[in-house]
Amino acid sequence: MLKIGYDTVKKQQFEAIGLKWEGTFSEAEAGGIKSMMKEMHERMNEIDHVVQSENLIGLSYNAQTGNDRFVPYSVVEVAKISNIPEGVMAISVPETTFVRMKHLKGQDIRASYRNIYQWIAEKGYVTSTEYLTHLEIYPVHQDSYSNDPNFTIMIPITMEE
């Protein structure tokens, strides 16, 4: 049986440039997010000052139980914002503490999310959805349309008071 590992990490505030999409979870499952990720992958060479060209970052806002719509972004982290290409946008992500886990090809994505949220609760953390619901890191060499991807899941947290 595969051992799932979790850790906490504080990510400093960062700037990013990329694409924004808005829709329902069923629209996302029908390929809306995958087409945005593919376009972002194709447009990475238009962006200056990319910090890690081997990763695409997925940012999701308002992706909570009970919400029908949410706002995901497909971005790359940049050292500084300059010369924003047409059709993309800049976004700033504040310093955030995350619980991080690696989702591996062959694992059930919904189960990975259930497991990470269960671990967060067991450790006495609470999710911090004030700004960002979750962050995902995808290797750029991976097919954007894969139904069985490798990626890192990062959930913003705070300590229970």
Side-chain angles (χ1 to χ4, degrees), residues 67-78:
N67 284 356
D68 184 40
R69 298 184 69 78
F70 71 113
V71 181
Y73 294 78
S74 182
V75 300
V76 289
E77 185 175 344
V78 294

Side-chain angles (χ1 to χ4, degrees), residues 84 90 130 138:
I84 300 172
E130 177 181 322
Y138 292 88

Side-chain angles (χ1 to χ4, degrees), residues 17-21 31-47 56 74-76 85-89 140 142-145:
I17 295 178
L19 298 169
K20 176 182 177 181
W21 183 85
I33 292 178
K34 290 177 182 181
S35 62
M36 174 186 60
M37 289 174 63
K38 182 177 184 329
E39 181 182 350
M40 187 61 210
H41 184 266
E42 292 168 351
R43 297 193 65 188
M44 281 180 65
N45 63 343
E46 299 174 33
I47 299 170
L56 278 180
S74 182
V75 300
V76 289
E86 187 175 326
V88 298
M89 62 183 301
V140 296
Q142 182 170 254
D143 178 5
S144 300
Y145 286 100

